[in-house]
Amino acid sequence: MAFQVKELEKHASGQAFELILSPQSKESLPEFPLSSPKNKDLSLEEIQKKLEAAEERHKPHEAEVLKQLHEKRECEKVELQKMIEKNNNISKMVEEKLTHKMEVNKENPDAHTSAKLDRLRKKDKHTEEVRKNKEFKVPADETETN
């Protein structure tokens, strides 16, 4: 198919063209046919052979994918096992500490309570001292301002 281009006008916004198509001549026929080649009727055996060949081509890829999935699952299993082991170790340590603390409290319940009472007495004594110091300071400050 041949065509001619004819320029019409030039504008500030662009150009205008006219495209003139000439009728198709027998000389300008394309070398290849435009329609798709006709598929010949395939027999059942040929179709099965093609399907088997396609399946053979896909097998290595499927095997590779399955291998990668298997490796990934193995890694996940190892990681999960490590996490479980770590959690078990932590819970054993916590349980041992708690058991030890309970044993210490059972062995010396009197020492434990007396230690708490001592701390309370010291706290009360400190509180009393702070109150006394405040009482002495307040009148001294008032006399200085008067």
Side-chain angles (χ1 to χ4, degrees):
M1 198 178 279
F3 58 90
Q4 293 176 343
V5 178
K6 183 178 175 185
E7 187 175 337
L8 295 177
E9 297 177 20
K10 286 188 179 180
H11 297 285
S13 62
Q15 291 182 329
F17 294 96
E18 184 177 339
L19 186 62
I20 303 169
L21 298 174
S22 60
Q24 185 176 11
S25 65
K26 292 188 178 185
E27 297 171 0
S28 65
L29 284 176
E31 296 178 14
F32 57 89
L34 294 176
S35 63
S36 62
K38 304 285 185 204
N39 288 339
K40 62 178 183 173
D41 292 332
L42 298 175
S43 68
L44 182 61
E45 290 176 5
E46 290 174 338
I47 293 172
Q48 285 178 343
K49 284 180 184 177
K50 286 186 177 188
L51 287 174
E52 287 173 1
E55 192 175 313
E56 289 298 320
R57 288 192 306 269
H58 292 295
K59 277 184 182 179
H61 177 68
E62 288 177 15
E64 183 66 28
V65 169
L66 288 174
K67 181 181 174 187
Q68 288 175 355
L69 285 174
H70 181 68
E71 289 173 356
K72 187 176 180 181
R73 284 190 180 139
E74 287 299 317
C75 287
E76 289 173 354
K77 283 180 184 178
V78 168
E79 290 297 319
L80 183 63
Q81 190 64 31
K82 285 180 183 178
M83 294 278 290
I84 290 171
E85 199 172 304
K86 187 176 179 180
N87 285 341
N88 287 341
N89 289 340
I90 291 172
S91 45
K92 282 181 185 177
M93 287 174 50
V94 169
E95 188 177 346
E96 287 174 2
K97 283 183 181 180
L98 185 62
T99 306
H100 177 69
K101 193 173 184 179
M102 289 174 66
E103 287 175 1
V104 168
N105 287 341
K106 281 182 183 177
E107 291 173 2
N108 301 326
D110 295 331
H112 186 67
T113 51
S114 65
K116 281 187 177 181
L117 286 172
D118 277 348
R119 285 195 298 266
L120 285 172
R121 284 186 192 124
K122 286 180 182 178
K123 196 171 189 178
D124 284 344
K125 188 176 180 182
H126 178 71
T127 307
E128 256 331 288
E129 288 176 9
V130 169
R131 282 186 190 146
K132 284 181 184 178
N133 287 340
K134 276 189 174 180
E135 286 175 6
F136 288 129
K137 286 184 179 180
V138 171
D141 288 340
E142 289 177 3
T143 55
E144 289 175 6
T145 55
N146 289 336

